[in-house]
Amino acid sequence: RFSMLSSKLRQTMLEVDSANWNVLRGRGDVNLTFRTIEYHEYTAGGKLSSTGHYDSGSLLTMDVMLADSSKDFEGGQLSLPEADGSITTPQMNKGDAVVFLSHKYHNVTPVTAGKRT
């Protein structure tokens, strides 16, 4: 099962990269590996508040929402500061994913109730 999931994730990363940045150009599916897979769980008060946080050692980061944001938790939004000073907060529902350049600063706002996974 992981082989099928891994293949789908790789294909998604390649497609999103091709449409936006081309940092994976020439690497192909065979040469694309996952540096790390992390599971984060935020409960009330939990957050990733470091304003200078980014994922070093990777080219792309994929954040997948496992919880149902309409009933499992409140708050806990992915926050992506932009160069112009604005902040992008993508609306994520269960099963949605956001792909971004790993060196891009990102945060998670405080969870005010429930559990975000």
Side-chain angles (χ1 to χ4, degrees):
R1 286 189 178 185
F2 183 72
S3 176
M4 186 176 8
L5 175 60
S6 176
S7 179
K8 286 182 179 183
L9 292 174
R10 278 189 180 88
Q11 187 59 39
T12 298
M13 295 290 260
L14 287 166
E15 289 173 8
V16 172
D17 176 63
S18 177
N20 294 281
W21 312 289
N22 290 307
V23 297
L24 302 178
R25 181 184 293 147
R27 293 177 188 268
D29 192 44
V30 174
N31 297 318
L32 180 62
T33 61
F34 296 104
R35 184 184 67 82
T36 186
I37 296 174
E38 300 174 353
Y39 173 82
H40 295 271
E41 184 176 285
Y42 298 93
T43 55
K47 62 187 177 221
L48 174 58
S49 62
S50 172
T51 57
H53 174 80
Y54 64 95
D55 299 333
S56 63
S58 299
L59 296 173
L60 297 176
T61 294
M62 178 185 286
D63 186 22
V64 179
M65 180 62 68
L66 300 177
D68 184 336
S69 58
S70 68
K71 65 179 182 180
D72 293 340
F73 67 95
E74 296 174 13
Q77 293 178 306
L78 178 63
S79 176
L80 303 163
E82 303 296 343
D84 65 3
S86 66
I87 297 176
T88 300
T89 53
Q91 177 61 37
M92 295 178 71
N93 298 310
K94 187 174 186 175
D96 288 346
V98 175
V99 177
F100 52 93
L101 294 168
S102 295
H103 65 267
K104 181 177 184 58
Y105 293 142
H106 57 280
N107 313 86
V108 175
T109 63
V111 170
T112 56
K115 181 167 62 172
R116 177 194 194 273
T117 57

